[in-house]
């Protein structure tokens, strides 16, 4: 699960760079969506990691 969160944050950063740099206007909204998905997966990973200990 942690690998997916890292993948999503990297995709969000790349999409944000393209979107906010003016290359693609739609990439900014994609970056926002991916960032929120990353946050949700990160919180889930933290909770699941604590319950296993």
């Amino acid at each position: 699960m942690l690998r997916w969160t890292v993948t999503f944050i990297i995709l969000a950063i790349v999409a944000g760079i393209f979107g906010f740099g003016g290359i693609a206007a739609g990439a900014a909204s994609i970056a926002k969506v991916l960032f929120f998905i990353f946050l949700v997966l990160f919180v889930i990973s933290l909770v699941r990691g604590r319950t296993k200990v």
Side-chain angles (χ1 to χ4, degrees):
M1 185 81 138
L2 188 58
R3 290 182 184 175
W4 282 106
T5 58
V6 171
T7 302
F8 276 119
I9 191 63
I10 290 172
L11 286 173
I13 290 171
V14 169
I17 289 171
F18 287 138
F20 298 126
I23 295 175
S29 61
I30 293 171
K32 290 177 187 176
V33 170
L34 288 176
F35 182 74
F36 287 118
I37 290 172
F38 159 73
L39 285 179
V40 169
L41 289 176
F42 180 70
V43 169
I44 291 171
S45 297
L46 284 177
V47 170
R48 289 189 67 186
R50 283 198 172 189
T51 57
K52 288 183 180 179
V53 172

